[in-house]
Short mmCIF file of all heavy atoms in Angstrom, two decimals:
data_model
loop_
_atom_site.label_atom_id
_atom_site.label_comp_id
_atom_site.label_asym_id
_atom_site.label_seq_id
_atom_site.Cartn_x
_atom_site.Cartn_y
_atom_site.Cartn_z
N PHE A 246 105.05 -14.71 -92.73
CA PHE A 246 104.24 -15.91 -92.55
C PHE A 246 104.10 -16.20 -91.06
O PHE A 246 104.80 -15.62 -90.23
CB PHE A 246 104.85 -17.11 -93.30
CG PHE A 246 106.21 -17.52 -92.81
CD1 PHE A 246 106.35 -18.49 -91.82
CD2 PHE A 246 107.35 -16.94 -93.34
CE1 PHE A 246 107.60 -18.87 -91.37
CE2 PHE A 246 108.62 -17.32 -92.89
CZ PHE A 246 108.75 -18.29 -91.90
N VAL A 247 103.16 -17.12 -90.73
CA VAL A 247 102.82 -17.42 -89.34
C VAL A 247 102.97 -18.91 -89.07
O VAL A 247 102.61 -19.74 -89.90
CB VAL A 247 101.36 -17.00 -89.03
CG1 VAL A 247 100.99 -17.35 -87.58
CG2 VAL A 247 101.15 -15.52 -89.31
N VAL A 248 103.50 -19.23 -87.88
CA VAL A 248 103.58 -20.62 -87.40
C VAL A 248 102.89 -20.68 -86.04
O VAL A 248 103.14 -19.84 -85.18
CB VAL A 248 105.04 -21.10 -87.28
CG1 VAL A 248 105.10 -22.49 -86.64
CG2 VAL A 248 105.70 -21.11 -88.65
N GLY A 249 102.00 -21.66 -85.86
CA GLY A 249 101.30 -21.84 -84.58
C GLY A 249 101.76 -23.09 -83.87
O GLY A 249 102.83 -23.63 -84.14
N VAL A 250 100.93 -23.57 -82.94
CA VAL A 250 101.14 -24.83 -82.24
C VAL A 250 99.77 -25.41 -81.89
O VAL A 250 98.92 -24.67 -81.39
CB VAL A 250 101.95 -24.66 -80.93
CG1 VAL A 250 102.05 -26.00 -80.17
CG2 VAL A 250 103.34 -24.10 -81.17
N ASP A 251 99.56 -26.67 -82.17
CA ASP A 251 98.38 -27.44 -81.74
C ASP A 251 98.01 -28.53 -82.73
O ASP A 251 97.58 -29.61 -82.35
CB ASP A 251 97.13 -26.59 -81.50
CG ASP A 251 97.11 -25.89 -80.15
OD1 ASP A 251 97.90 -26.30 -79.28
OD2 ASP A 251 96.34 -24.93 -79.98
N GLY A 252 98.06 -28.20 -84.05
CA GLY A 252 97.56 -29.16 -85.04
C GLY A 252 96.05 -29.23 -85.00
O GLY A 252 95.46 -30.30 -85.22
N SER A 253 95.39 -28.11 -84.74
CA SER A 253 93.94 -28.07 -84.55
C SER A 253 93.20 -28.20 -85.88
O SER A 253 93.77 -27.98 -86.96
CB SER A 253 93.55 -26.75 -83.89
OG SER A 253 93.80 -25.67 -84.77
N PRO A 254 91.89 -28.54 -85.83
CA PRO A 254 91.10 -28.59 -87.08
C PRO A 254 91.12 -27.26 -87.83
O PRO A 254 91.19 -27.24 -89.07
CB PRO A 254 89.70 -28.92 -86.57
CG PRO A 254 89.94 -29.70 -85.30
CD PRO A 254 91.14 -29.06 -84.68
N ASP A 255 91.06 -26.13 -87.11
CA ASP A 255 91.13 -24.82 -87.76
C ASP A 255 92.45 -24.61 -88.48
O ASP A 255 92.51 -24.01 -89.56
CB ASP A 255 90.92 -23.70 -86.74
CG ASP A 255 89.47 -23.58 -86.30
OD1 ASP A 255 88.60 -24.18 -86.95
OD2 ASP A 255 89.22 -22.90 -85.29
N ALA A 256 93.53 -25.12 -87.88
CA ALA A 256 94.85 -25.00 -88.50
C ALA A 256 94.93 -25.86 -89.76
O ALA A 256 95.55 -25.46 -90.76
CB ALA A 256 95.94 -25.40 -87.52
N GLU A 257 94.30 -27.04 -89.73
CA GLU A 257 94.27 -27.90 -90.92
C GLU A 257 93.64 -27.15 -92.09
O GLU A 257 94.14 -27.22 -93.23
CB GLU A 257 93.48 -29.17 -90.64
CG GLU A 257 94.15 -30.15 -89.69
CD GLU A 257 93.32 -31.41 -89.53
OE1 GLU A 257 93.26 -32.20 -90.50
OE2 GLU A 257 92.72 -31.61 -88.45
N VAL A 258 92.56 -26.46 -91.81
CA VAL A 258 91.89 -25.67 -92.86
C VAL A 258 92.78 -24.52 -93.32
O VAL A 258 92.94 -24.29 -94.52
CB VAL A 258 90.54 -25.13 -92.34
CG1 VAL A 258 89.92 -24.17 -93.34
CG2 VAL A 258 89.58 -26.27 -92.03
N ALA A 259 93.38 -23.82 -92.36
CA ALA A 259 94.22 -22.66 -92.69
C ALA A 259 95.42 -23.04 -93.55
O ALA A 259 95.81 -22.28 -94.44
CB ALA A 259 94.69 -21.98 -91.41
N LEU A 260 95.98 -24.21 -93.29
CA LEU A 260 97.19 -24.64 -94.01
C LEU A 260 96.95 -24.82 -95.51
O LEU A 260 97.89 -24.67 -96.30
CB LEU A 260 97.72 -25.95 -93.42
CG LEU A 260 98.46 -25.84 -92.09
CD1 LEU A 260 98.69 -27.23 -91.49
CD2 LEU A 260 99.79 -25.12 -92.25
N VAL A 261 95.72 -25.15 -95.89
CA VAL A 261 95.47 -25.47 -97.31
C VAL A 261 94.65 -24.39 -98.02
O VAL A 261 94.36 -24.53 -99.21
CB VAL A 261 94.74 -26.83 -97.43
CG1 VAL A 261 95.64 -27.95 -96.91
CG2 VAL A 261 93.41 -26.83 -96.70
N GLN A 262 94.30 -23.31 -97.32
CA GLN A 262 93.54 -22.24 -97.96
C GLN A 262 94.39 -21.52 -99.00
O GLN A 262 95.59 -21.32 -98.80
CB GLN A 262 93.04 -21.24 -96.92
CG GLN A 262 91.81 -21.71 -96.16
CD GLN A 262 91.32 -20.66 -95.19
OE1 GLN A 262 92.09 -19.82 -94.74
NE2 GLN A 262 90.04 -20.70 -94.86
N GLU A 263 93.76 -21.10 -100.08
CA GLU A 263 94.48 -20.34 -101.10
C GLU A 263 94.94 -19.01 -100.52
O GLU A 263 94.19 -18.31 -99.84
CB GLU A 263 93.56 -20.09 -102.30
CG GLU A 263 94.26 -19.43 -103.46
CD GLU A 263 93.37 -19.26 -104.68
OE1 GLU A 263 92.25 -19.83 -104.66
OE2 GLU A 263 93.78 -18.55 -105.61
N GLY A 264 96.18 -18.69 -100.73
CA GLY A 264 96.75 -17.44 -100.24
C GLY A 264 97.09 -17.44 -98.76
O GLY A 264 97.36 -16.39 -98.19
N THR A 265 97.09 -18.61 -98.14
CA THR A 265 97.37 -18.67 -96.71
C THR A 265 98.80 -18.27 -96.38
O THR A 265 99.72 -18.53 -97.16
CB THR A 265 97.11 -20.09 -96.15
OG1 THR A 265 97.27 -20.07 -94.73
CG2 THR A 265 98.10 -21.11 -96.73
N ILE A 266 98.97 -17.62 -95.23
CA ILE A 266 100.32 -17.37 -94.72
C ILE A 266 100.52 -18.12 -93.40
O ILE A 266 101.54 -17.95 -92.74
CB ILE A 266 100.59 -15.85 -94.53
CG1 ILE A 266 99.57 -15.22 -93.58
CG2 ILE A 266 100.62 -15.14 -95.87
CD1 ILE A 266 99.93 -13.80 -93.15
N PHE A 267 99.53 -18.95 -93.04
CA PHE A 267 99.67 -19.85 -91.89
C PHE A 267 100.35 -21.10 -92.42
O PHE A 267 99.75 -21.87 -93.17
CB PHE A 267 98.29 -20.17 -91.30
CG PHE A 267 98.36 -20.89 -89.98
CD1 PHE A 267 98.25 -20.20 -88.79
CD2 PHE A 267 98.53 -22.27 -89.94
CE1 PHE A 267 98.32 -20.87 -87.57
CE2 PHE A 267 98.60 -22.94 -88.74
CZ PHE A 267 98.48 -22.24 -87.54
N LYS A 268 101.62 -21.31 -92.03
CA LYS A 268 102.45 -22.28 -92.74
C LYS A 268 102.76 -23.57 -92.00
O LYS A 268 103.07 -24.58 -92.64
CB LYS A 268 103.78 -21.61 -93.14
CG LYS A 268 103.63 -20.49 -94.15
CD LYS A 268 103.09 -21.01 -95.48
CE LYS A 268 103.04 -19.95 -96.56
NZ LYS A 268 102.50 -20.46 -97.83
N ALA A 269 102.68 -23.60 -90.67
CA ALA A 269 103.06 -24.82 -89.96
C ALA A 269 102.51 -24.81 -88.54
O ALA A 269 102.24 -23.75 -87.96
CB ALA A 269 104.58 -24.97 -89.93
#
Side-chain angles (χ1 to χ4, degrees):
F246 63 92
V247 178
V248 174
V250 176
D251 279 344
S253 67
D255 286 347
E257 290 183 71
V258 173
L260 284 169
V261 296
Q262 281 183 334
E263 186 176 351
T265 185
I266 58 170
F267 190 97
K268 294 296 185 181

